[in-house]
Amino acid sequence: MNPDIQRERENATFNTDLLTYILDGGQEKTRRRREIESLVISDADFQQEDANFLSRSERYDAAVRKSAQMILKLREYGISDPEEIYAYKNIVQGQNNEALGLHFVMFLPTLRSQGDAEQRKKWLPLAESFKALGTYAQTEMGHGTFIRGLETTATYDPATQEFVMNSPTISSIKWWPGGLGKTSNHAIVLAQLYTKGICHGLHAFIVPIRSMSTHEPLPGIEVGDIGPKFGFDEVDNGYLKMDNVRIPRMNMLMKYAKVERDGTYQKPPSAKLTYGTMVFIRSMIVGESSRALSKACTIAIRYSSVRHQSELRPGEPEPQILDYQTQQYKLFPLLATAYAFKFVGQYMTETYHRITGDINQGDFSELPELHALSAGLKAFTTWVANGGIEVCRMSCGGHGYSRCSSLPDIYVTFTPTCTYEGENTVMMLQTARYLVKSYRQASTGQQLSGIVSYLNEAHQRLQAQPVSSRPTVVNISDLASLVEAYKLRAAKLVEVAAKSLQGELQKSRSPEDAWNNSSIDLVRASDAHCHYVVVKLFAAKLGEISDTGVHSALSTLALLYALHGVAQNSGDFLQAGLLTVPQLSSVSQRLKDILAQVRTNAVALVDAFDYRDEMLNSVLGRYDGNIYEHMFEWARKSPLNRTEVHESYHKYLKPLQSKL
Amino acid sequence: MNPDIQRERENATFNTDLLTYILDGGQEKTRRRREIESLVISDADFQQEDANFLSRSERYDAAVRKSAQMILKLREYGISDPEEIYAYKNIVQGQNNEALGLHFVMFLPTLRSQGDAEQRKKWLPLAESFKALGTYAQTEMGHGTFIRGLETTATYDPATQEFVMNSPTISSIKWWPGGLGKTSNHAIVLAQLYTKGICHGLHAFIVPIRSMSTHEPLPGIEVGDIGPKFGFDEVDNGYLKMDNVRIPRMNMLMKYAKVERDGTYQKPPSAKLTYGTMVFIRSMIVGESSRALSKACTIAIRYSSVRHQSELRPGEPEPQILDYQTQQYKLFPLLATAYAFKFVGQYMTETYHRITGDINQGDFSELPELHALSAGLKAFTTWVANGGIEVCRMSCGGHGYSRCSSLPDIYVTFTPTCTYEGENTVMMLQTARYLVKSYRQASTGQQLSGIVSYLNEAHQRLQAQPVSSRPTVVNISDLASLVEAYKLRAAKLVEVAAKSLQGELQKSRSPEDAWNNSSIDLVRASDAHCHYVVVKLFAAKLGEISDTGVHSALSTLALLYALHGVAQNSGDFLQAGLLTVPQLSSVSQRLKDILAQVRTNAVALVDAFDYRDEMLNSVLGRYDGNIYEHMFEWARKSPLNRTEVHESYHKYLKPLQSKL
C-alpha cells in the first residue's frame, strides 16, 4: 500500500463502509453485491488480455465470448434478481459494453410487451434460448430524434398475407442499432405500415435478417457493421437495408394495433402505453451519470493523493497534487456532483416504481410530471457528467491521456448518453414545455401540485415586487436557504422563458416560430429547474442519514454542490435579486473553506463508491496507490513492444537513410 | 452538390475567397498553399486506406511510410519555406500526426541551438540525413510540470571521460516523448549533471539508444512504446530506462554550460536563453486552437445545413437543423471563437517575430510580457477549443460519434494541448503572477506599459468609487464599449485576486500558502485578462479589413463573441457594476438577433477556412454535402464487414445455442 493513500484513509472522519451501505441501499445489498463481484473476479474464464491491446475485431470477439459465458454462468449460479444480474454484468464488463446488450434490453422486452399471446408463445422460447438473437432497429441514417420521419416501409400484401419490407432511400437505411451488424439474426424493425393504400404510421415488425442455421444474411437483406466509432469498439452497431423482404403477417407485433388477413387495420387503444419504458430508461441513465462520474472521480482523486509535483514551500518535498487549491476546485465539486446524482438516481428509480404501481391501478396522473422530469434530468446529469469526466481526465495530466488510466474509456463509453434515448437539447425542451404549461396554469390561478408547485407561490412572489426591491433571501451557510434560492432562480427563469414566448407570439409569429425563437431561454429554464431538483433531493437525502460522521461528510458535500452552482451561475442569482454583490465574495471565501474540509475525506469519499480495481481497470485509480510500477508493467505489454524492431524500420527508415 | 448547401453559398453576403486571403495573410499565400495541397492530393503515393480501419501497428507503419515519403518529396520539389512545409505536412497528415515529428521540432533545433561548433559539425549531418533519428526526452513517469524534480542522472567519470547515464528509480523512467518507443536511435536526454560529487542541475545529453546499423536497443538501454492512448495512435510515445549507459563527454550539449576533461564545470552565462522557444511553441498552440476548432465548426455547420430533422411548422418538410435557435446557439459562438483565435494566433506570431528581432539586438524588455501572455493564451484558447470541439461533435447527434465524422479524431488529437508544453492551470498561474506583480507596481504609482497598462487607470478608477455607485459603462451594441467592459472586468478580477493574496498573507501564512489559497482567484483573473486580450485583438483586426462584405460579416461575429462572453460571465459584469440587470435581458435579445444574422453566412464563413475534403477526412463535413451515400460507402469498408459471418459466431454463439 502506498503510504500517502494509506494516511488519507487513516485521516478520514467517517466509516467508509457505512456510506457504501447507503449507496447500495442497505448493508445486505452491499454484501451480496460484493459476493457476486468476487465470483467473477475469481473466475478464470473471465481473465483476459486488456481490451486496449486488442484490435476491434478481437474486442468484438472477446465481448461475444464474455456475453455467452455470462449467460451460462448466470444460469449455473441461479442469479435471476435484476439488481444482481446488473452487478454481475458490471464487473464482467468493466468499462466495456455487452455484445448482446440490445437482445436483453430491447428485443426480449419488446416481444414481451408488444407481442400478443400467440406471438409471445412462438418467439419468447426462441429468444430465451438465443436461437433468435435480436436487436431493435428504429434509427435510420437520416432520422433519429423525429421518429415520425422514419422512411422504412412495411406494405401489406393480402394475396400472400405478408408484409413487404423496404428501405426506399439511402437515408432510410437502418443505422446504429447495437448488435445489428454481425450478431443478430432477427431485428424488430420500426416501419411505416401501409395497408389498402393507406399509411397508418409506425409499427414494429419482427424481421429475420440472417439464417438461423448458417448466420448468412437472408435474401433481400444487406446488413453490416457501421464502422469504427469514438468508443463502443466491442459493439457491432449496424446497418440494415431491405429490398422487398417478405415476412408473414404474424410478424407484426399485434398486442395493440392489428392488421387482419384481408388487410383491415385496427388502431391501438392508447398511444401512451409505451411511455413507461422510455421514462424507465432515462431514469437509469441518471444513475449512469453518477456511476461514470464517480468512477472518474475515484481515479482522479486517488491519483492526486499519490502524485507529487512542484513545490508549495521552497526546500520541502514535492506535495501531493491534491493539496493544490486549483486541483481541489476541479475535483471536489465533481465529487459532490457524483453523490448528488447518485441520490437523484435513487429517487428516480423509487418514483418510477411508485408511479408504475399507480399506473397499474389506472392512475396516470403523475406520469406527465415524471416524464418531464426524467427527460430534463437525463439531459442535465449527462451533460454535467460528460464534461466532468474530461475534467477528471485532464486533472491527471499526461497520464490521464493514456489508456492505462481508463479515463478515455469511461468518457467514450459514457458520452453517447447525451445523444441516445433522446437528444439532450430536445429533452430539455420537452421539460420546458411542461414547465411553461405549468407556469401558465399557475398564472390563471390553477393550483399546481408536485415538483412544479413552486410555480404557484413563486408566481405570486415574482409578480408582487420588482426584482431590485426584493429582500435578499439567501443565507449562504444554510442548505435549506440555498434550496429556496435555487427554487426562486428556477421560477425566475421559467418566467423569463414564458415571457419571451409571449413576446414572440405578440410579434404575430406562428406558435412554432415563437417556440423556436425562445428556445435558448427555454433550455435555460429547464436547466435551472433540474438544478433545483438536484439540490433539493441532495438536501432531502441528508435527513435520512443517522450516522453523524457520514452525515457531516455528506452535508459538507451538499453545501459544496449548492454553493459551487451559485458561483458558476452567479449572474442568474444576482439578476433574480437572490444574492447581493458583497455576498458573492463570501461565497468565494466559503467555497475555499469547504474545499479544505473536503480535502480530509476526499479519498474515503471515493473509496465509499466501492469500485473494485477489476472494475475500474485503471492503473491511476488503483486502490493500493502503487501506480508507477504498474504503469511500466502495463506498457511493456503494448502490442508495439512485441518485437524490438518494428517492421517499418526495414521497410521505410533504412531505405530512406540509404537514399540521402 | 447537395441543393441545400448550394443555396447557403448562394445566399452569402460576402466573397469567401477574400476572407480566405485575410486568413492566409494574402492572396499569393492562398494561391501557393492551394498549389501545394493539390500536389499532395494528386500524388498517388499518398493515397491510402482510411486510418480508422487500421490497427495501431498498421497506423504507425503508415505514418512512418508517409514521413519517409514526405522527406523525399519535399527535397524533390525543392519546398523549403517553413510555411510551405507546414502546408505540405498538414495536407499529408490530415487529422493524424507525424511519426518523425520530434526529430524535426525538437531534436534538430536543440542540436542547432545548444550544440557547440564541434558538436554541430558532427551531429547535424547525421541528423539531417536521418542516420541519427532523434527525439527529446524530458518528461519522466513521475515528473512533468516541475522539471527541477527530474531524477535521471548523468555522472561524469573523468577516468574514461564519459558520462554514466542512469534511471535510478521507476518514477525516473523517461515517459511520453514522441518517437522514443520504436523510431529513434538517439535521444537528447535531460538529466541532473553530477561532476566531482556535486549536482549542477539539468543539462542535455545526446544518448544513442539503438544501433545505427541494426536498430536494436543498445546495452543498458530498455526502450519501448508506452502503450495505447486516447489518440496519437500513429505515434510511438516511448519509455527509456538507462542502466549505467556510458556516453562520451562530448555528448553533453556544450554551447552554454561545459564540463571539462577533468570534470570541472562551467556555468552557462544566462538561463533565459531558452525562453524564446517556449514562447514560440505556445504561440503556435494558440494557432492550433483556432485550427482545430475551425475544422470542427466546418464539419458541424456543413452537416447542420444538409441534415433535416423534426418539424418547425406542422405539415411542412423537416427543416435544416441549422434553423434551430438552439443549434445556432451551440455553433455560432464557436465559429466566432475560431475566428477570434485565428487573429490572436496571427498577433502572437507577429509579436514573437518582432520581439525576437529586439532580443537579437539585446533588448529583452518585452519578453516577460510576451512570456506571460503566451502562457495564459495557450491555456485560455486550448481549454475553450477543447470544449468547443466536443460541442460541435455532439451537435451532429449520433453521426458525430462515428469515426467517419472525423470529430473524434480532431478531439483526441487536440486535447493534449491542454496538458503539454505547460499544463493549463500552471500556465494560468504564471500569467497571474505577472498580473499581480503589475498590479502591485501600479498600486505603488509605477506607470505600466504594454498590454497590462489598463491596470494603471483601472486601479485609479476602481479605487475612486465604490462599485455600486459607478455609472454603467457598457453600450452592448458597440464593440469598443464592450472591449472597455472586458478590460474593466479583468482589472476588477486582478484586484480581487491581489486582495485575496493580501488577505491570506495577513493571516501570517507563508507567501507560498497564501498563493495556493488564492489560486482560484488568480486563475479567474488570468482568464479574464486573456478574454479581454482576445476581444481587443478581434476588434483591432476589423480595422484592417477594407472589403465591406467581409468587414460586415466579421463585425457581426466579433459582436457575437463579445456578447456571448458577457452572457456566459454575467455575474462578473454585474459584480463589477459594468452591466445592469435590465441590460442583461437586452444582451439576450441582441444575441438572438445576431444568431439570425450569422445564419445567412454560416456556411460561407466555414468555407472561408478553406479546408480541402482530403484534409478534413470527414463524411459529415464534405464540401458537396452528399453525406448519406458516402457514409454508407465508408461503412461497407469497415474491417468487420470483410466476412459476412464473423468467426465469433462459430466460436461462441452457435455453441451457446446448442447448450440451451
Side-chain angles (χ1 to χ4, degrees), chain A residues 184 188 193 204 253 308 321 362 369 387 400 417 465 505 531 537 551:
Chain A
S184 300
I188 291 175
L193 165 64
L253 289 174
H308 291 253
I321 60 174
E369 175 177 312
T417 60
Q465 332 176 33
L505 280 169
H531 211 153
L537 291 175
H551 190 276

Side-chain angles (χ1 to χ4, degrees), chain A residues 195-213:
Chain A
T195 172
K196 298 186 173 180
I198 294 166
C199 179
H200 296 283
L202 291 175
H203 291 75
F205 302 83
I206 304 170
V207 181
I209 55 175
R210 289 176 179 269
S211 154
M212 286 169 78
S213 58

Side-chain angles (χ1 to χ4, degrees), chain A residues 327-386:
Chain A
Q327 188 78 348
Q328 296 171 4
Y329 196 57
K330 285 174 196 173
L331 296 177
F332 296 169
L334 292 173
L335 176 63
T337 304
Y339 272 97
F341 291 178
K342 177 75 192 172
F343 301 136
V344 174
Q346 287 179 345
Y347 168 85
M348 293 296 287
T349 309
E350 287 157 17
T351 308
Y352 173 77
H353 287 305
R354 182 172 56 75
I355 293 186
T356 306
D358 295 346
I359 290 171
N360 289 342
Q361 291 169 14
D363 176 3
F364 288 74
S365 60
E366 285 194 77
L367 193 57
E369 175 177 312
L370 182 63
H371 180 252
L373 193 62
S374 67
L377 284 175
K378 180 267 185 190
F380 182 84
T381 61
T382 55
W383 264 335
V384 170
N386 195 65

Side-chain angles (χ1 to χ4, degrees), chain A residues 55-94:
Chain A
S55 73
R56 190 166 164 233
S57 180
E58 289 165 340
R59 285 180 79 142
Y60 170 65
D61 193 274
V64 175
R65 179 174 55 74
K66 282 203 284 190
S67 283
Q69 280 171 337
M70 270 198 304
I71 290 163
L72 294 172
K73 303 232 174 197
L74 286 168
R75 299 202 179 189
E76 181 188 335
Y77 297 129
I79 296 173
S80 59
D81 176 82
E83 278 186 32
E84 294 186 3
I85 292 176
Y86 184 76
Y88 193 92
K89 289 188 172 184
N90 271 333
I91 186 85
V92 170
Q93 287 154 10

Side-chain angles (χ1 to χ4, degrees), chain B residues 107-403:
Chain B
F107 187 64
L108 274 166
T110 308
L111 290 176
R112 287 187 187 120
S113 64
Q114 295 186 43
D116 64 20
E118 192 185 333
Q119 290 174 321
R120 291 198 301 273
K121 195 172 157 206
K122 172 178 176 184
W123 288 102
L124 286 176
L126 287 170
E128 284 162 358
S129 65
F130 305 95
K131 303 257 185 314
L133 289 159
T135 184
Y136 188 84
Q138 174 177 304
T139 301
E140 296 173 358
M141 207 193 277
H143 310 277
T145 297
F146 184 65
I147 68 164
R148 272 184 287 157
L150 294 175
E151 296 176 77
T152 302
T153 57
T155 310
Y156 186 63
D157 177 359
T160 59
Q161 300 197 14
E162 289 172 320
F163 291 103
V164 187
M165 308 296 295
N166 270 302
S167 310
T169 61
I170 293 271
S171 56
S172 77
I173 296 173
K174 293 292 179 188
W175 205 264
W176 280 110
L180 175 62
K182 309 306 280 187
T183 313
S184 301
N185 56 24
H186 285 77
I188 292 176
V189 170
L190 251 74
Q192 305 285 357
L193 166 64
Y194 285 85
T195 172
K196 297 184 171 178
I198 294 166
C199 178
H200 296 284
L202 290 175
H203 290 75
F205 302 84
I206 305 170
V207 180
I209 56 175
R210 288 176 179 269
S211 155
M212 287 169 76
S213 58
T214 67
H215 210 62
E216 291 284 341
L218 295 170
I221 297 284
E222 192 174 347
V223 67
D225 175 77
I226 62 164
K229 296 144 297 188
F230 205 177
F232 276 67
D233 276 2
E234 59 283 351
V235 176
D236 55 324
N237 298 81
Y239 62 77
L240 172 65
K241 186 167 180 291
M242 295 175 294
D243 180 19
N244 287 312
V245 173
R246 291 183 163 261
I247 57 171
R249 182 178 66 90
M250 284 308 295
N251 278 27
M252 172 171 140
L253 289 173
M254 297 233 203
K255 182 165 177 187
Y256 303 114
K258 290 189 202 331
V259 170
E260 291 171 10
R261 282 165 198 267
D262 67 349
T264 304
Y265 175 72
Q266 280 186 25
K267 276 207 296 192
S270 160
K272 281 205 177 173
L273 287 161
T274 53
Y275 239 46
T277 315
M278 214 155 65
V279 169
F280 177 69
I281 292 177
R282 289 175 189 161
S283 302
M284 288 289 290
I285 292 176
V286 173
E288 287 303 316
S289 297
S290 165
R291 201 177 154 73
L293 186 56
S294 60
K295 282 183 185 174
C297 284
T298 302
I299 296 166
I301 287 176
R302 284 184 183 161
Y303 176 70
S304 299
S305 78
V306 299
R307 174 79 172 181
H308 291 252
Q309 199 75 181
S310 301
E311 53 185 5
L312 268 175
R313 296 177 201 86
E316 290 189 16
E318 297 182 62
Q320 294 162 282
I321 59 174
L322 201 56
D323 285 333
Y324 289 98
Q325 192 183 62
T326 47
Q327 188 77 346
Q328 296 172 4
Y329 195 58
K330 286 175 192 171
L331 296 177
F332 296 168
L334 293 173
L335 176 63
T337 304
Y339 272 97
F341 291 177
K342 177 74 192 175
F343 301 136
V344 175
Q346 287 179 345
Y347 168 85
M348 293 298 286
T349 309
E350 287 157 17
T351 308
Y352 173 78
H353 288 305
R354 181 171 58 73
I355 294 185
T356 308
D358 295 345
I359 290 171
N360 289 341
Q361 291 169 13
D363 176 4
F364 287 74
S365 60
E366 285 193 77
L367 193 56
E369 175 176 314
L370 183 62
H371 180 252
L373 193 62
S374 67
L377 284 174
K378 180 266 186 191
F380 182 84
T381 61
T382 56
W383 265 335
V384 170
N386 195 66
I389 294 165
E390 282 298 88
V391 170
C392 288
R393 181 181 64 75
M394 292 193 279
S395 81
C396 296
H399 294 329
Y401 190 73
S402 168
R403 292 264 171 190

